[in-house]
C-alpha cells in the first residue's frame, strides 16, 4: 500500500528523482516512444484501407487521452486538497494539451471541422508528443521517473504522437487549403484563451510568458527577453508551421496534376 501511494505521490514522493537525462529518464522515454512508433506504423499500415477501423482507432485514442487527463486531475486534486486551484492550473491550454480537444473533434465531429482537426493533429501531434515526452526534462528533476506524474505525462504525449503518425500513414488528413482557416482558428483560439488565463490566474499557458527551459528558450534569447516579441514569434512560428504543411500539400497536388497531364498527352 505504501508503494502504491508513493507511486501516486500522495503525501509527497519518498524517492529521490533520478534527474533529467539520467539513464532512467532516457530508457523510460525511449521505451515509450518506441512503443508509440511501433503501434503507429503497425496499426497505420494494417488499417490504411479500412475507414471504419481508422476512425475507431482515433476514437479510442481520443477517449484514452481524455480519460488519463481526468485521472491526473483527480489525483492532483486529492494531493493538493484544492480542487479549484488544481483545475485552473491544468486547463488544456498548452500546445500538447490541445490534443485533448482536437482528438475528440477528429473522432466524433463531421465535415470540415473533422477534417481541420485531423490536419491539426497531423501537424502538431507528433512534434508536441515528442517534445512533451523527452523534452520535458525538468519533470525528471522534480519527480521520480516511475511516478504517476511522469508516467501519465508520457502516456498522454505518446497518444498525441501516435495519433499524428497514424493519421499520416492512413492518409486521414486531407490538408485541403479550404480547411487551413479552421486549423489556424483552433490554434489561435487556444492562444487567446491561454493569454487570458495567463493574465487572470496568472500562469504560463502555451509558454507565452516565458520559455521555462523549453526549446522556446532559443526564441527568448533571440529577442533578448522582450516579452511582446517573444509572444509574437512563438505564435508566428506555430502559424507558419500550419501554412508550410498546407503549402507542401498544394505544391504536391500541383506536381501530381502536371504529371497526369503529361501522361495523358
Amino acid at each position: 500500500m505504501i508503494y502504491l501511494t508513493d507511486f501516486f505521490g500522495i503525501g509527497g514522493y519518498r524517492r529521490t528523482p533520478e534527474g533529467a537525462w539520467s539513464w532512467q529518464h532516457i530508457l523510460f522515454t525511449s521505451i515509450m516512444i518506441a512503443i508509440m512508433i511501433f503501434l503507429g506504423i503497425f496499426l497505420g499500415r494494417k488499417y490504411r484501407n479500412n475507414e471504419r477501423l481508422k476512425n475507431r482507432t482515433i476514437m479510442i485514442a481520443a477517449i484514452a487521452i481524455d480519460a488519463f487527463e481526468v485521472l491526473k486531475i483527480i489525483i492532483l486534486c486529492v494531493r493538493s486538497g484544492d480542487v479549484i486551484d488544481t483545475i485552473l492550473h491544468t486547463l488544456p491550454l498548452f500546445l500538447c494539451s490541445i490534443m485533448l480537444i482536437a482528438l475528440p473533434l477528429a473522432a466524433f465531429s463531421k465535415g470540415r471541422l473533422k477534417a481541420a482537426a485531423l490536419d491539426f493533429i497531423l501537424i502538431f501531434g507528433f512534434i508536441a508528443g515528442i517534445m512533451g515526452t523527452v523534452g520535458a526534462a525538468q519533470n525528471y528533476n522534480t519527480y521520480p521517473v516511475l511516478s504517476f506524474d511522469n508516467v501519465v505525462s508520457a502516456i498522454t504525449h505518446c497518444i498525441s504522437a501516435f495519433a499524428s503518425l497514424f493519421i499520416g500513414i492512413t492518409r486521414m488528413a486531407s490538408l485541403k487549403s479550404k480547411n487551413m482557416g479552421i486549423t489556424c482558428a483552433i490554434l489561435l483560439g487556444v492562444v487567446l484563451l491561454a493569454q487570458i488565463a495567463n493574465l487572470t490566474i496568472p500562469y504560463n499557458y502555451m509558454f507565452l510568458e516565458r520559455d521555462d527551459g523549453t526549446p522556446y528558450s532559443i526564441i527568448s534569447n533571440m529577442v533578448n527577453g522582450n516579452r511582446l516579441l517573444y509572444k509574437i514569434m512563438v505564435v508566428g512560428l506555430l502559424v507558419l508551421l500550419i501554412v508550410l504543411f498546407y503549402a507542401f500539400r498544394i505544391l504536391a497536388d500541383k506536381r501530381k496534376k502536371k504529371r497526369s497531364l503529361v501522361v495523358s498527352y
Side-chain angles (χ1 to χ4, degrees):
M1 190 66 181
I2 293 175
Y3 291 111
L4 182 63
T5 56
D6 190 43
F7 172 78
F8 287 103
I10 298 173
Y13 288 110
R14 297 169 179 82
R15 291 165 290 150
T16 302
E18 291 83 356
W21 308 117
S22 62
W23 69 265
Q24 294 96 331
H25 168 208
I26 295 171
L27 178 62
F28 172 66
T29 53
S30 297
I31 290 172
M32 293 297 295
I33 290 171
I35 293 171
M36 174 272 294
I37 291 175
F38 169 77
L39 288 175
I41 294 173
F42 175 74
L43 294 177
R45 289 173 63 87
K46 185 176 181 180
Y47 298 154
R48 179 179 289 173
N49 300 314
N50 191 317
E51 293 298 324
R52 182 177 63 85
L53 291 179
K54 283 195 292 189
N55 203 58
R56 179 180 292 179
T57 301
I58 296 300
M59 286 181 178
I60 293 172
I63 293 170
I65 195 171
D66 281 357
F68 276 109
E69 187 67 13
V70 170
L71 174 63
K72 181 187 82 173
I73 292 171
I74 291 171
I75 294 299
L76 292 179
C77 287
V78 171
R79 278 179 9 189
S80 70
D82 190 333
V83 175
I84 301 299
D85 185 70
T86 298
I87 292 174
L88 287 176
H89 288 85
T90 53
L91 297 172
L93 298 177
F94 286 106
L95 181 62
C96 50
S97 304
I98 303 176
M99 302 305 154
L100 298 168
I101 302 168
L103 263 170
L105 286 176
F108 300 105
S109 65
K110 295 181 180 180
R112 289 179 61 188
L113 181 59
K114 181 183 183 73
L118 287 167
D119 292 349
F120 187 92
I121 296 165
L122 173 68
I123 296 168
F124 291 112
F126 196 85
I127 297 171
I130 296 297
M131 287 179 63
T133 303
V134 180
Q138 69 274 10
N139 289 344
Y140 296 87
N141 286 327
T142 307
Y143 314 111
V145 170
L146 293 181
S147 63
F148 177 79
D149 294 82
N150 284 330
V151 170
V152 170
S153 177
I155 289 173
T156 53
H157 283 91
C158 280
I159 291 174
S160 297
F162 160 81
S164 176
L165 187 60
F166 180 83
I167 288 168
I169 292 173
T170 56
R171 300 174 185 173
M172 292 181 74
S174 61
L175 290 175
K176 292 181 179 179
S177 56
K178 66 179 182 180
N179 296 326
M180 183 167 62
I182 302 176
T183 305
C184 288
I186 293 172
L187 173 67
L188 295 177
V190 173
V191 167
L192 177 61
L193 292 173
Q195 186 57 60
I196 293 171
N198 290 341
L199 293 173
T200 54
I201 294 176
Y203 202 49
N204 189 28
Y205 283 118
M206 289 292 290
F207 298 108
L208 292 175
E209 305 305 315
R210 56 190 179 277
D211 60 80
D212 277 355
T214 65
Y216 289 138
S217 59
I218 299 171
I219 299 175
S220 185
N221 292 331
M222 285 175 60
V223 301
N224 198 27
N226 186 297
R227 289 179 64 182
L228 179 59
L229 288 177
Y230 169 78
K231 292 179 184 184
I232 292 172
M233 287 191 67
V234 167
V235 178
L237 284 173
L238 295 177
V239 172
L240 178 62
L241 186 59
I242 292 175
V243 173
L244 286 175
F245 264 81
Y246 280 97
F248 284 137
R249 181 55 186 266
I250 291 169
L251 289 173
D253 288 343
K254 284 184 177 179
R255 286 186 178 184
K256 187 177 179 181
K257 189 175 181 179
K258 284 182 180 180
R259 287 176 184 174
S260 64
L261 287 173
V262 170
V263 171
S264 64
Y265 281 116

